Amino acid sequence: MTQNGWFQIGLYLFVIFLLTKPIGVFMTRVFNREKTFLDAVLRPIEKLVYRLTGVNEKHEMRWTEYAVAMLLFSGVSMTVLYLIERTQKWLPFNPQKFPQRRSGIGIRHGGVVHDKHQLAGYSGESTMSYLTQMAGLAYHNFVSAAVGIVLAIVVIRGIARKETDKLGNFWVDTTRCPSMGAAARVSGGFADPGVRRCRAESQALYDRRSNQPYTAQVTGTDGKTTTQTITQQVIAQGPVASQEGDQGIRHQRRWIL
């Protein structure tokens, strides 16, 4: 480990130490439905969401009702992603004319994306349309993290509340979860410089550039490997820049920017 590596680790831990209390206090106020400095802007939007979805924000749920709501939300989200993947061939924002994904892969990928583990085994830009990436994957990047946070919160409530069987409201907690708003703002902040620095953020066809010919082993759809001479490079376009910030947040990797 180099000195620079140790310095970065120390700086990272120091920043976490500094942010733990203020962020913890803020999240406590958010999930206790207390007033925060963001209420002036976000509270009207929150009320509008409840009105449009028919959610009673004053209703408190028992653990069984909370669990059923979570499972229904997750199940519907996964099903919608599966349907998008299975029908992307006929949906808009598919300039590369990618076919629909196979049934088994679609089912597995829906679960992979929603529960946040990394066994996907796919390359999004070579198998998924822009609509699938934007309406399917980007949506799950935020809501699946929100579900994980609110489940941790409800466990804490279950331990702290001793004289009631009410644990809050899943729909309210998920709506108020700061991870969705915070992650969206951070990702948006990285999107703009990403576009300026030539990161792809368009719905155009993939770009093809000529390069020096070279040979490579290529595996076809039939599983057979052949030697081919490569004369062109395909440069993927699409919603890359706006999602790269979220990738860095979730995987704690270096920014591609």
Side-chain angles (χ1 to χ4, degrees):
M1 179 74 71
T2 63
Q3 290 184 347
N4 182 53
W6 284 112
F7 171 76
Q8 291 186 44
I9 292 174
L11 179 62
Y12 176 75
L13 295 175
F14 179 69
V15 171
I16 289 180
F17 177 78
L18 289 181
L19 295 178
T20 297
K21 184 171 182 179
I23 291 181
V25 170
F26 173 72
M27 292 183 67
T28 299
R29 296 183 67 87
V30 166
F31 287 110
N32 284 338
R33 307 183 193 181
E34 300 173 3
K35 189 174 182 179
T36 70
F37 66 94
L38 293 176
D39 278 11
V41 177
L42 298 182
R43 183 61 178 161
I45 300 175
E46 182 184 359
K47 289 183 177 180
L48 178 62
V49 170
Y50 297 150
R51 189 176 300 114
L52 293 175
T53 56
V55 172
N56 179 7
E57 63 176 311
K58 296 182 179 180
H59 173 66
E60 293 268 330
M61 298 178 174
R62 296 181 67 251
W63 75 267
T64 49
E65 186 179 2
Y66 201 102
V68 168
M70 182 275 294
L71 293 173
L72 286 174
F73 177 77
S74 299
V76 170
S77 297
M78 292 168 59
T79 301
V80 170
L81 175 58
Y82 170 76
L83 292 176
I84 292 175
E85 291 187 22
R86 291 287 290 157
T87 59
Q88 70 175 8
K89 178 180 179 180
W90 302 282
L91 296 176
F93 300 107
N94 185 13
Q96 293 300 116
K97 306 301 181 183
F98 288 132
Q100 69 272 28
R101 305 200 75 200
R102 296 197 304 272
S103 177
I105 294 178
I107 293 175
R108 185 184 68 170
H109 184 247
V112 163
V113 173
H114 192 76
D115 70 10
K116 310 302 286 182
H117 73 267
Q118 303 303 314
L119 300 177
Y122 76 99
S123 178
E125 66 274 7
S126 65
T127 59
M128 297 186 185
S129 69
Y130 296 154
L131 180 67
T132 303
Q133 294 182 59
M134 293 186 294
L137 305 188
Y139 165 80
H140 278 274
N141 287 344
F142 299 118
V143 299
S144 58
V147 170
I149 289 178
V150 300
L151 290 181
I153 294 297
V154 81
V155 169
I156 295 172
R157 285 188 187 140
I159 297 173
R161 297 183 181 183
K162 298 180 180 179
E163 298 181 358
T164 178
D165 61 351
K166 305 300 183 182
L167 296 176
N169 188 309
F170 173 80
W171 308 113
V172 173
D173 290 342
T174 306
T175 303
R176 293 180 66 86
C177 184
S179 73
M180 299 179 69
R185 286 166 177 76
V186 172
S187 295
F190 279 95
D192 183 54
V195 173
R196 290 201 302 269
R197 298 187 65 174
C198 302
R199 299 297 171 189
E201 188 73 12
S202 71
Q203 279 73 52
L205 286 168
Y206 286 7
D207 193 12
R208 293 181 178 272
R209 301 290 178 88
S210 299
N211 57 4
Q212 293 291 335
Y214 66 93
T215 59
Q217 297 292 324
V218 178
T219 302
T221 56
D222 57 358
K224 296 181 179 180
T225 301
T226 59
T227 300
Q228 297 184 9
T229 300
I230 308 300
T231 59
Q232 282 189 333
Q233 179 183 7
V234 179
I235 302 176
Q237 306 294 313
V240 176
S242 60
Q243 297 194 58
E244 199 55 56
D246 175 68
Q247 290 288 333
I249 293 171
R250 292 190 294 119
H251 302 303
Q252 299 179 6
R253 294 172 179 167
R254 295 179 299 174
W255 305 115
I256 289 183
L257 302 179

